[in-house]
Amino acid sequence: MKNKDAELMEKISALKKKRNAVILVHNYQLGEVQDIADFIGDSLELSQNAAKTAADVIVFCGVHFMAETASILCPDKVVLLPDINAGCPMADMITAERLRAKKKEHPQAMVVCYVNSPAEVKAESDICCTSANAVEVVESLGAREILFIPDQYLGHYVSTRTGKKMILWPGFCPTHVRIRPERILQLRQEYPQAKVVVHPECTPDVIALADEVASTSGMCRYARRDDVREMVVGTEVGIIHRLRKENPGKKFIPVSDQAICPDMKLITLEKVLWALEEMTPEVKVPHEVRLKAIVAVDRMLGGKSKGRD
Ligand code: 13P
Ligand code: SF4
């Protein structure tokens, strides 16, 4: 570890105590940011953690929709996103206005909303899901018609797993579409013993080649299995840091070095320290939006969020 990082980490740790803050970190964050986490996880685990934390301040090292979800769940806490420009291009592929228009075309449809979406869109939805629980969420619904937003590829994967036909919004993750099937076929030749694990945001031709399809934390759990010695990893490359740290002696091969989410990389140790010093930038979902959005988020969490008032 660089001296400068060690110094920043010490300062962050001291200030975190003073502010009674908790640092929640997504699996794609820079290695040094992962190393200061009080909790590291996927979108579902991070929202569950935000919902139950006793801290006054949540420093969210992830992207905007994740901090918004924390704000929806914890309206009385200060939620800081150390770089307010850390967004998610997939979440920006839908707006509440466009969703309202689509709902008019399908008045009977239930709207299942991937958490990678703006709070205003969640407010127009019936239930949320993450990559970790999307199959269960859709399976649990009795609706004859389902509108799945905004990720067409996650939606496609869920419909193949559940056998339910769904109307799919044409959104996608620009990082995950860089993961290509030809490369997986090459890597299978190079590493015949390796398991291939991919994220459900990948395209169907990639998913068809995988041994396992999982959320980011699902991948971390899979990597711990005794029968996994080598793993080809089809997701954003930031996860490799955690996989190697938790599994010394095992080999992790990213499908593509280009699968980088530039937004996830905007959070740095300097910005985390600055956010704690200045108590900004804060992400706060407006009250009226929150009151509607919490219904869909809470339904996903099984009514356990304590967030509904
Ligand atoms: P996870 O919920 O699997 O961590 O995924 C979040 C995400 O943004 C994937 O691109
Ligand atoms: Fe959004 Fe893709 Fe980045 Fe995940 S990896 S935050 S879906 S752009």
Side-chain angles (χ1 to χ4, degrees), residues 26-28 41-46 63 65-66 88 90 114-116 130-132 173 175-176 199-201 214-218 235-236 261 264:
H26 187 264
N27 290 319
Y28 293 160
D42 65 13
S43 311
L44 179 64
E45 292 171 334
L46 292 172
V63 294
F65 76 80
M66 297 178 177
C88 166
M90 181 204 286
Y114 188 29
V115 282
N116 298 38
T130 73
S131 64
C173 165
T175 299
H176 282 83
H199 195 274
E201 285 176 15
S215 77
T216 56
S217 289
T235 195
E236 210 273 350
C261 175
M264 284 281 179

PDB file of all heavy atoms in Angstrom, residues 26-28 41-46 63 65-66 88 90 114-116 130-132 173 175-176 199-201 214-218 235-236 261 264, ligand 1:
ATOM      1  N   HIS A  26     -19.441  -0.656  -2.867  1.00  0.00           N
ATOM      2  CA  HIS A  26     -19.849  -1.660  -3.861  1.00  0.00           C
ATOM      3  C   HIS A  26     -18.627  -2.443  -4.355  1.00  0.00           C
ATOM      4  O   HIS A  26     -17.503  -1.929  -4.388  1.00  0.00           O
ATOM      5  CB  HIS A  26     -20.570  -0.987  -5.046  1.00  0.00           C
ATOM      6  CG  HIS A  26     -21.140  -1.999  -5.992  1.00  0.00           C
ATOM      7  ND1 HIS A  26     -20.465  -2.398  -7.125  1.00  0.00           N
ATOM      8  CD2 HIS A  26     -22.275  -2.736  -5.937  1.00  0.00           C
ATOM      9  CE1 HIS A  26     -21.189  -3.336  -7.736  1.00  0.00           C
ATOM     10  NE2 HIS A  26     -22.293  -3.552  -7.047  1.00  0.00           N
ATOM     11  N   ASN A  27     -18.889  -3.690  -4.767  1.00  0.00           N
ATOM     12  CA  ASN A  27     -17.837  -4.608  -5.227  1.00  0.00           C
ATOM     13  C   ASN A  27     -17.015  -4.111  -6.419  1.00  0.00           C
ATOM     14  O   ASN A  27     -15.988  -4.692  -6.733  1.00  0.00           O
ATOM     15  CB  ASN A  27     -18.473  -5.945  -5.622  1.00  0.00           C
ATOM     16  CG  ASN A  27     -18.994  -6.720  -4.424  1.00  0.00           C
ATOM     17  OD1 ASN A  27     -18.349  -6.764  -3.385  1.00  0.00           O
ATOM     18  ND2 ASN A  27     -20.171  -7.326  -4.559  1.00  0.00           N
ATOM     19  N   TYR A  28     -17.482  -3.080  -7.136  1.00  0.00           N
ATOM     20  CA  TYR A  28     -16.738  -2.578  -8.300  1.00  0.00           C
ATOM     21  C   TYR A  28     -15.802  -1.419  -7.959  1.00  0.00           C
ATOM     22  O   TYR A  28     -15.148  -0.875  -8.856  1.00  0.00           O
ATOM     23  CB  TYR A  28     -17.705  -2.052  -9.375  1.00  0.00           C
ATOM     24  CG  TYR A  28     -18.589  -3.065 -10.062  1.00  0.00           C
ATOM     25  CD1 TYR A  28     -19.748  -2.640 -10.714  1.00  0.00           C
ATOM     26  CD2 TYR A  28     -18.277  -4.414 -10.107  1.00  0.00           C
ATOM     27  CE1 TYR A  28     -20.576  -3.534 -11.377  1.00  0.00           C
ATOM     28  CE2 TYR A  28     -19.107  -5.313 -10.760  1.00  0.00           C
ATOM     29  CZ  TYR A  28     -20.250  -4.867 -11.389  1.00  0.00           C
ATOM     30  OH  TYR A  28     -21.066  -5.742 -12.045  1.00  0.00           O
ATOM     31  N   GLY A  41     -20.393  -5.020  -0.681  1.00  0.00           N
ATOM     32  CA  GLY A  41     -21.374  -5.976  -1.180  1.00  0.00           C
ATOM     33  C   GLY A  41     -21.977  -5.593  -2.508  1.00  0.00           C
ATOM     34  O   GLY A  41     -21.523  -4.667  -3.186  1.00  0.00           O
ATOM     35  N   ASP A  42     -23.035  -6.351  -2.877  1.00  0.00           N
ATOM     36  CA  ASP A  42     -23.777  -6.050  -4.102  1.00  0.00           C
ATOM     37  C   ASP A  42     -24.910  -5.080  -3.768  1.00  0.00           C
ATOM     38  O   ASP A  42     -25.096  -4.704  -2.600  1.00  0.00           O
ATOM     39  CB  ASP A  42     -24.255  -7.347  -4.783  1.00  0.00           C
ATOM     40  CG  ASP A  42     -25.268  -8.141  -3.960  1.00  0.00           C
ATOM     41  OD1 ASP A  42     -25.813  -7.610  -2.968  1.00  0.00           O
ATOM     42  OD2 ASP A  42     -25.541  -9.310  -4.321  1.00  0.00           O
ATOM     43  N   SER A  43     -25.686  -4.710  -4.771  1.00  0.00           N
ATOM     44  CA  SER A  43     -26.715  -3.689  -4.553  1.00  0.00           C
ATOM     45  C   SER A  43     -27.730  -4.118  -3.488  1.00  0.00           C
ATOM     46  O   SER A  43     -28.168  -3.293  -2.684  1.00  0.00           O
ATOM     47  CB  SER A  43     -27.493  -3.424  -5.839  1.00  0.00           C
ATOM     48  OG  SER A  43     -26.636  -3.218  -6.890  1.00  0.00           O
ATOM     49  N   LEU A  44     -28.099  -5.398  -3.504  1.00  0.00           N
ATOM     50  CA  LEU A  44     -29.099  -5.849  -2.528  1.00  0.00           C
ATOM     51  C   LEU A  44     -28.530  -5.780  -1.109  1.00  0.00           C
ATOM     52  O   LEU A  44     -29.149  -5.198  -0.209  1.00  0.00           O
ATOM     53  CB  LEU A  44     -29.537  -7.290  -2.849  1.00  0.00           C
ATOM     54  CG  LEU A  44     -30.562  -7.868  -1.873  1.00  0.00           C
ATOM     55  CD1 LEU A  44     -31.874  -7.092  -1.937  1.00  0.00           C
ATOM     56  CD2 LEU A  44     -30.835  -9.345  -2.165  1.00  0.00           C
ATOM     57  N   GLU A  45     -27.344  -6.324  -0.931  1.00  0.00           N
ATOM     58  CA  GLU A  45     -26.739  -6.323   0.415  1.00  0.00           C
ATOM     59  C   GLU A  45     -26.514  -4.898   0.911  1.00  0.00           C
ATOM     60  O   GLU A  45     -26.699  -4.612   2.111  1.00  0.00           O
ATOM     61  CB  GLU A  45     -25.397  -7.063   0.372  1.00  0.00           C
ATOM     62  CG  GLU A  45     -25.524  -8.543   0.115  1.00  0.00           C
ATOM     63  CD  GLU A  45     -24.180  -9.200  -0.147  1.00  0.00           C
ATOM     64  OE1 GLU A  45     -23.245  -8.521  -0.613  1.00  0.00           O
ATOM     65  OE2 GLU A  45     -24.061 -10.402   0.104  1.00  0.00           O
ATOM     66  N   LEU A  46     -26.109  -4.011   0.009  1.00  0.00           N
ATOM     67  CA  LEU A  46     -25.853  -2.627   0.439  1.00  0.00           C
ATOM     68  C   LEU A  46     -27.141  -1.953   0.873  1.00  0.00           C
ATOM     69  O   LEU A  46     -27.161  -1.215   1.869  1.00  0.00           O
ATOM     70  CB  LEU A  46     -25.166  -1.835  -0.680  1.00  0.00           C
ATOM     71  CG  LEU A  46     -23.729  -2.279  -1.004  1.00  0.00           C
ATOM     72  CD1 LEU A  46     -23.212  -1.562  -2.244  1.00  0.00           C
ATOM     73  CD2 LEU A  46     -22.784  -2.024   0.171  1.00  0.00           C
ATOM     74  N   VAL A  63     -22.581   4.243  -6.940  1.00  0.00           N
ATOM     75  CA  VAL A  63     -23.116   5.235  -7.895  1.00  0.00           C
ATOM     76  C   VAL A  63     -24.451   5.800  -7.385  1.00  0.00           C
ATOM     77  O   VAL A  63     -25.004   5.313  -6.406  1.00  0.00           O
ATOM     78  CB  VAL A  63     -23.229   4.652  -9.318  1.00  0.00           C
ATOM     79  CG1 VAL A  63     -21.855   4.353  -9.891  1.00  0.00           C
ATOM     80  CG2 VAL A  63     -24.116   3.417  -9.347  1.00  0.00           C
ATOM     81  N   PHE A  65     -27.690   5.887  -8.069  1.00  0.00           N
ATOM     82  CA  PHE A  65     -28.945   5.196  -7.736  1.00  0.00           C
ATOM     83  C   PHE A  65     -28.808   4.426  -6.426  1.00  0.00           C
ATOM     84  O   PHE A  65     -29.790   4.231  -5.709  1.00  0.00           O
ATOM     85  CB  PHE A  65     -29.412   4.287  -8.901  1.00  0.00           C
ATOM     86  CG  PHE A  65     -28.649   2.993  -9.051  1.00  0.00           C
ATOM     87  CD1 PHE A  65     -28.920   1.890  -8.253  1.00  0.00           C
ATOM     88  CD2 PHE A  65     -27.642   2.869 -10.001  1.00  0.00           C
ATOM     89  CE1 PHE A  65     -28.221   0.698  -8.401  1.00  0.00           C
ATOM     90  CE2 PHE A  65     -26.948   1.679 -10.162  1.00  0.00           C
ATOM     91  CZ  PHE A  65     -27.231   0.596  -9.349  1.00  0.00           C
ATOM     92  N   MET A  66     -27.611   3.988  -6.100  1.00  0.00           N
ATOM     93  CA  MET A  66     -27.406   3.236  -4.854  1.00  0.00           C
ATOM     94  C   MET A  66     -27.550   4.163  -3.644  1.00  0.00           C
ATOM     95  O   MET A  66     -28.167   3.810  -2.641  1.00  0.00           O
ATOM     96  CB  MET A  66     -26.016   2.585  -4.846  1.00  0.00           C
ATOM     97  CG  MET A  66     -25.832   1.558  -5.946  1.00  0.00           C
ATOM     98  SD  MET A  66     -24.170   0.852  -5.936  1.00  0.00           S
ATOM     99  CE  MET A  66     -24.331  -0.341  -7.267  1.00  0.00           C
ATOM    100  N   CYS A  88     -25.119   6.176 -13.372  1.00  0.00           N
ATOM    101  CA  CYS A  88     -25.173   4.872 -14.029  1.00  0.00           C
ATOM    102  C   CYS A  88     -25.864   5.101 -15.369  1.00  0.00           C
ATOM    103  O   CYS A  88     -27.043   5.445 -15.407  1.00  0.00           O
ATOM    104  CB  CYS A  88     -25.967   3.874 -13.182  1.00  0.00           C
ATOM    105  SG  CYS A  88     -26.427   2.372 -14.081  1.00  0.00           S
ATOM    106  N   MET A  90     -27.031   3.149 -17.486  1.00  0.00           N
ATOM    107  CA  MET A  90     -28.254   2.356 -17.681  1.00  0.00           C
ATOM    108  C   MET A  90     -29.446   3.027 -16.995  1.00  0.00           C
ATOM    109  O   MET A  90     -30.544   3.110 -17.556  1.00  0.00           O
ATOM    110  CB  MET A  90     -28.082   0.946 -17.119  1.00  0.00           C
ATOM    111  CG  MET A  90     -29.322   0.089 -17.339  1.00  0.00           C
ATOM    112  SD  MET A  90     -29.461  -1.222 -16.177  1.00  0.00           S
ATOM    113  CE  MET A  90     -28.217  -2.323 -16.759  1.00  0.00           C
ATOM    114  N   TYR A 114     -35.646  -2.751 -11.953  1.00  0.00           N
ATOM    115  CA  TYR A 114     -34.279  -3.038 -11.504  1.00  0.00           C
ATOM    116  C   TYR A 114     -33.797  -1.815 -10.711  1.00  0.00           C
ATOM    117  O   TYR A 114     -34.048  -0.678 -11.132  1.00  0.00           O
ATOM    118  CB  TYR A 114     -33.426  -3.266 -12.759  1.00  0.00           C
ATOM    119  CG  TYR A 114     -32.016  -3.762 -12.549  1.00  0.00           C
ATOM    120  CD1 TYR A 114     -31.667  -4.550 -11.466  1.00  0.00           C
ATOM    121  CD2 TYR A 114     -31.018  -3.455 -13.480  1.00  0.00           C
ATOM    122  CE1 TYR A 114     -30.370  -5.017 -11.304  1.00  0.00           C
ATOM    123  CE2 TYR A 114     -29.720  -3.914 -13.333  1.00  0.00           C
ATOM    124  CZ  TYR A 114     -29.401  -4.694 -12.237  1.00  0.00           C
ATOM    125  OH  TYR A 114     -28.120  -5.149 -12.077  1.00  0.00           O
ATOM    126  N   VAL A 115     -33.109  -2.047  -9.603  1.00  0.00           N
ATOM    127  CA  VAL A 115     -32.702  -0.890  -8.770  1.00  0.00           C
ATOM    128  C   VAL A 115     -31.817   0.108  -9.505  1.00  0.00           C
ATOM    129  O   VAL A 115     -31.721   1.262  -9.079  1.00  0.00           O
ATOM    130  CB  VAL A 115     -31.989  -1.288  -7.451  1.00  0.00           C
ATOM    131  CG1 VAL A 115     -32.953  -1.754  -6.403  1.00  0.00           C
ATOM    132  CG2 VAL A 115     -30.864  -2.243  -7.704  1.00  0.00           C
ATOM    133  N   ASN A 116     -31.187  -0.327 -10.593  1.00  0.00           N
ATOM    134  CA  ASN A 116     -30.369   0.597 -11.397  1.00  0.00           C
ATOM    135  C   ASN A 116     -31.299   1.542 -12.160  1.00  0.00           C
ATOM    136  O   ASN A 116     -31.459   1.444 -13.375  1.00  0.00           O
ATOM    137  CB  ASN A 116     -29.501  -0.183 -12.397  1.00  0.00           C
ATOM    138  CG  ASN A 116     -28.521  -1.118 -11.730  1.00  0.00           C
ATOM    139  OD1 ASN A 116     -28.844  -1.742 -10.725  1.00  0.00           O
ATOM    140  ND2 ASN A 116     -27.334  -1.241 -12.283  1.00  0.00           N
ATOM    141  N   THR A 130     -33.066  -6.575  -7.625  1.00  0.00           N
ATOM    142  CA  THR A 130     -31.642  -6.407  -7.946  1.00  0.00           C
ATOM    143  C   THR A 130     -31.239  -7.644  -8.749  1.00  0.00           C
ATOM    144  O   THR A 130     -32.052  -8.559  -8.932  1.00  0.00           O
ATOM    145  CB  THR A 130     -30.755  -6.316  -6.692  1.00  0.00           C
ATOM    146  OG1 THR A 130     -30.681  -7.613  -6.116  1.00  0.00           O
ATOM    147  CG2 THR A 130     -31.303  -5.320  -5.678  1.00  0.00           C
ATOM    148  N   SER A 131     -29.971  -7.683  -9.148  1.00  0.00           N
ATOM    149  CA  SER A 131     -29.539  -8.859  -9.911  1.00  0.00           C
ATOM    150  C   SER A 131     -29.583 -10.112  -9.024  1.00  0.00           C
ATOM    151  O   SER A 131     -29.702 -11.225  -9.526  1.00  0.00           O
ATOM    152  CB  SER A 131     -28.125  -8.645 -10.448  1.00  0.00           C
ATOM    153  OG  SER A 131     -27.223  -8.533  -9.387  1.00  0.00           O
ATOM    154  N   ALA A 132     -29.493  -9.921  -7.698  1.00  0.00           N
ATOM    155  CA  ALA A 132     -29.457 -11.070  -6.784  1.00  0.00           C
ATOM    156  C   ALA A 132     -30.834 -11.710  -6.600  1.00  0.00           C
ATOM    157  O   ALA A 132     -30.929 -12.895  -6.282  1.00  0.00           O
ATOM    158  CB  ALA A 132     -28.896 -10.636  -5.428  1.00  0.00           C
ATOM    159  N   CYS A 173     -26.373  -2.106 -19.972  1.00  0.00           N
ATOM    160  CA  CYS A 173     -25.178  -1.565 -19.322  1.00  0.00           C
ATOM    161  C   CYS A 173     -24.035  -1.497 -20.335  1.00  0.00           C
ATOM    162  O   CYS A 173     -23.602  -2.532 -20.854  1.00  0.00           O
ATOM    163  CB  CYS A 173     -24.770  -2.455 -18.150  1.00  0.00           C
ATOM    164  SG  CYS A 173     -23.090  -2.083 -17.600  1.00  0.00           S
ATOM    165  N   THR A 175     -20.981  -1.141 -19.924  1.00  0.00           N
ATOM    166  CA  THR A 175     -19.787  -1.867 -19.475  1.00  0.00           C
ATOM    167  C   THR A 175     -19.942  -3.363 -19.748  1.00  0.00           C
ATOM    168  O   THR A 175     -19.019  -4.017 -20.251  1.00  0.00           O
ATOM    169  CB  THR A 175     -19.562  -1.616 -17.967  1.00  0.00           C
ATOM    170  OG1 THR A 175     -19.358  -0.217 -17.778  1.00  0.00           O
ATOM    171  CG2 THR A 175     -18.378  -2.397 -17.439  1.00  0.00           C
ATOM    172  N   HIS A 176     -21.107  -3.911 -19.443  1.00  0.00           N
ATOM    173  CA  HIS A 176     -21.291  -5.357 -19.600  1.00  0.00           C
ATOM    174  C   HIS A 176     -21.414  -5.797 -21.068  1.00  0.00           C
ATOM    175  O   HIS A 176     -21.129  -6.959 -21.366  1.00  0.00           O
ATOM    176  CB  HIS A 176     -22.482  -5.840 -18.757  1.00  0.00           C
ATOM    177  CG  HIS A 176     -22.117  -5.973 -17.308  1.00  0.00           C
ATOM    178  ND1 HIS A 176     -22.117  -4.888 -16.446  1.00  0.00           N
ATOM    179  CD2 HIS A 176     -21.673  -7.034 -16.585  1.00  0.00           C
ATOM    180  CE1 HIS A 176     -21.712  -5.297 -15.260  1.00  0.00           C
ATOM    181  NE2 HIS A 176     -21.433  -6.588 -15.315  1.00  0.00           N
ATOM    182  N   HIS A 199     -22.245 -11.949 -15.012  1.00  0.00           N
ATOM    183  CA  HIS A 199     -23.323 -11.156 -14.410  1.00  0.00           C
ATOM    184  C   HIS A 199     -24.539 -11.187 -15.341  1.00  0.00           C
ATOM    185  O   HIS A 199     -24.377 -11.182 -16.573  1.00  0.00           O
ATOM    186  CB  HIS A 199     -22.825  -9.711 -14.216  1.00  0.00           C
ATOM    187  CG  HIS A 199     -23.679  -8.916 -13.300  1.00  0.00           C
ATOM    188  ND1 HIS A 199     -24.789  -8.242 -13.736  1.00  0.00           N
ATOM    189  CD2 HIS A 199     -23.609  -8.706 -11.958  1.00  0.00           C
ATOM    190  CE1 HIS A 199     -25.350  -7.633 -12.688  1.00  0.00           C
ATOM    191  NE2 HIS A 199     -24.655  -7.905 -11.602  1.00  0.00           N
ATOM    192  N   PRO A 200     -25.765 -11.154 -14.778  1.00  0.00           N
ATOM    193  CA  PRO A 200     -26.943 -11.214 -15.656  1.00  0.00           C
ATOM    194  C   PRO A 200     -27.188  -9.956 -16.491  1.00  0.00           C
ATOM    195  O   PRO A 200     -28.122  -9.921 -17.283  1.00  0.00           O
ATOM    196  CB  PRO A 200     -28.100 -11.465 -14.685  1.00  0.00           C
ATOM    197  CG  PRO A 200     -27.608 -11.025 -13.358  1.00  0.00           C
ATOM    198  CD  PRO A 200     -26.126 -11.242 -13.359  1.00  0.00           C
ATOM    199  N   GLU A 201     -26.359  -8.920 -16.335  1.00  0.00           N
ATOM    200  CA  GLU A 201     -26.445  -7.767 -17.245  1.00  0.00           C
ATOM    201  C   GLU A 201     -25.760  -8.055 -18.580  1.00  0.00           C
ATOM    202  O   GLU A 201     -25.814  -7.249 -19.501  1.00  0.00           O
ATOM    203  CB  GLU A 201     -25.796  -6.525 -16.611  1.00  0.00           C
ATOM    204  CG  GLU A 201     -26.649  -5.899 -15.534  1.00  0.00           C
ATOM    205  CD  GLU A 201     -25.969  -4.730 -14.851  1.00  0.00           C
ATOM    206  OE1 GLU A 201     -24.966  -4.221 -15.382  1.00  0.00           O
ATOM    207  OE2 GLU A 201     -26.436  -4.337 -13.781  1.00  0.00           O
ATOM    208  N   ALA A 214     -24.572 -14.810 -11.826  1.00  0.00           N
ATOM    209  CA  ALA A 214     -24.758 -14.369 -10.439  1.00  0.00           C
ATOM    210  C   ALA A 214     -24.542 -12.863 -10.293  1.00  0.00           C
ATOM    211  O   ALA A 214     -23.876 -12.226 -11.118  1.00  0.00           O
ATOM    212  CB  ALA A 214     -23.752 -15.104  -9.533  1.00  0.00           C
ATOM    213  N   SER A 215     -25.111 -12.329  -9.211  1.00  0.00           N
ATOM    214  CA  SER A 215     -24.834 -10.939  -8.820  1.00  0.00           C
ATOM    215  C   SER A 215     -23.369 -10.845  -8.416  1.00  0.00           C
ATOM    216  O   SER A 215     -22.688 -11.870  -8.275  1.00  0.00           O
ATOM    217  CB  SER A 215     -25.713 -10.545  -7.628  1.00  0.00           C
ATOM    218  OG  SER A 215     -25.185 -11.099  -6.436  1.00  0.00           O
ATOM    219  N   THR A 216     -22.890  -9.645  -8.163  1.00  0.00           N
ATOM    220  CA  THR A 216     -21.462  -9.516  -7.828  1.00  0.00           C
ATOM    221  C   THR A 216     -21.123 -10.276  -6.542  1.00  0.00           C
ATOM    222  O   THR A 216     -20.109 -10.976  -6.487  1.00  0.00           O
ATOM    223  CB  THR A 216     -21.053  -8.032  -7.720  1.00  0.00           C
ATOM    224  OG1 THR A 216     -21.883  -7.372  -6.775  1.00  0.00           O
ATOM    225  CG2 THR A 216     -21.173  -7.341  -9.070  1.00  0.00           C
ATOM    226  N   SER A 217     -21.965 -10.181  -5.530  1.00  0.00           N
ATOM    227  CA  SER A 217     -21.665 -10.935  -4.301  1.00  0.00           C
ATOM    228  C   SER A 217     -21.913 -12.422  -4.494  1.00  0.00           C
ATOM    229  O   SER A 217     -21.243 -13.257  -3.859  1.00  0.00           O
ATOM    230  CB  SER A 217     -22.484 -10.400  -3.118  1.00  0.00           C
ATOM    231  OG  SER A 217     -21.978  -9.139  -2.750  1.00  0.00           O
ATOM    232  N   GLY A 218     -22.856 -12.761  -5.376  1.00  0.00           N
ATOM    233  CA  GLY A 218     -23.073 -14.176  -5.718  1.00  0.00           C
ATOM    234  C   GLY A 218     -21.797 -14.761  -6.318  1.00  0.00           C
ATOM    235  O   GLY A 218     -21.422 -15.898  -6.035  1.00  0.00           O
ATOM    236  N   THR A 235     -17.689  -9.757 -15.548  1.00  0.00           N
ATOM    237  CA  THR A 235     -18.333  -8.555 -15.016  1.00  0.00           C
ATOM    238  C   THR A 235     -17.293  -7.444 -14.938  1.00  0.00           C
ATOM    239  O   THR A 235     -16.168  -7.590 -15.443  1.00  0.00           O
ATOM    240  CB  THR A 235     -19.021  -8.823 -13.661  1.00  0.00           C
ATOM    241  OG1 THR A 235     -19.913  -7.744 -13.367  1.00  0.00           O
ATOM    242  CG2 THR A 235     -18.026  -8.964 -12.509  1.00  0.00           C
ATOM    243  N   GLU A 236     -17.658  -6.354 -14.286  1.00  0.00           N
ATOM    244  CA  GLU A 236     -16.757  -5.203 -14.162  1.00  0.00           C
ATOM    245  C   GLU A 236     -15.491  -5.632 -13.405  1.00  0.00           C
ATOM    246  O   GLU A 236     -15.576  -6.378 -12.412  1.00  0.00           O
ATOM    247  CB  GLU A 236     -17.504  -4.093 -13.400  1.00  0.00           C
ATOM    248  CG  GLU A 236     -17.100  -2.688 -13.749  1.00  0.00           C
ATOM    249  CD  GLU A 236     -15.941  -2.147 -12.967  1.00  0.00           C
ATOM    250  OE1 GLU A 236     -15.524  -2.797 -11.969  1.00  0.00           O
ATOM    251  OE2 GLU A 236     -15.421  -1.084 -13.346  1.00  0.00           O
ATOM    252  N   CYS A 261     -16.340   0.268 -15.408  1.00  0.00           N
ATOM    253  CA  CYS A 261     -17.425   1.248 -15.267  1.00  0.00           C
ATOM    254  C   CYS A 261     -16.778   2.562 -14.800  1.00  0.00           C
ATOM    255  O   CYS A 261     -16.354   2.674 -13.647  1.00  0.00           O
ATOM    256  CB  CYS A 261     -18.437   0.767 -14.231  1.00  0.00           C
ATOM    257  SG  CYS A 261     -19.717   1.987 -13.901  1.00  0.00           S
ATOM    258  N   MET A 264     -18.053   4.116 -11.512  1.00  0.00           N
ATOM    259  CA  MET A 264     -17.641   3.473 -10.259  1.00  0.00           C
ATOM    260  C   MET A 264     -16.241   3.928  -9.838  1.00  0.00           C
ATOM    261  O   MET A 264     -15.915   3.968  -8.670  1.00  0.00           O
ATOM    262  CB  MET A 264     -17.648   1.950 -10.432  1.00  0.00           C
ATOM    263  CG  MET A 264     -19.037   1.361 -10.424  1.00  0.00           C
ATOM    264  SD  MET A 264     -19.635   1.236  -8.710  1.00  0.00           S
ATOM    265  CE  MET A 264     -21.280   0.555  -8.984  1.00  0.00           C
TER     266      MET A 264
HETATM  267  P1  13P B   1     -24.892  -6.077  -8.307  1.00  0.00           P
HETATM  268  O1  13P B   1     -26.185  -5.780  -7.623  1.00  0.00           O
HETATM  269  O2  13P B   1     -24.801  -7.497  -8.797  1.00  0.00           O
HETATM  270  O3  13P B   1     -23.738  -5.726  -7.426  1.00  0.00           O
HETATM  271  O4  13P B   1     -24.802  -5.219  -9.637  1.00  0.00           O
HETATM  272  C1  13P B   1     -24.850  -3.837  -9.642  1.00  0.00           C
HETATM  273  C2  13P B   1     -24.445  -3.278 -10.921  1.00  0.00           C
HETATM  274  O5  13P B   1     -24.491  -2.095 -11.148  1.00  0.00           O
HETATM  275  C3  13P B   1     -23.987  -4.187 -11.941  1.00  0.00           C
HETATM  276  O6  13P B   1     -23.514  -3.474 -13.030  1.00  0.00           O
END
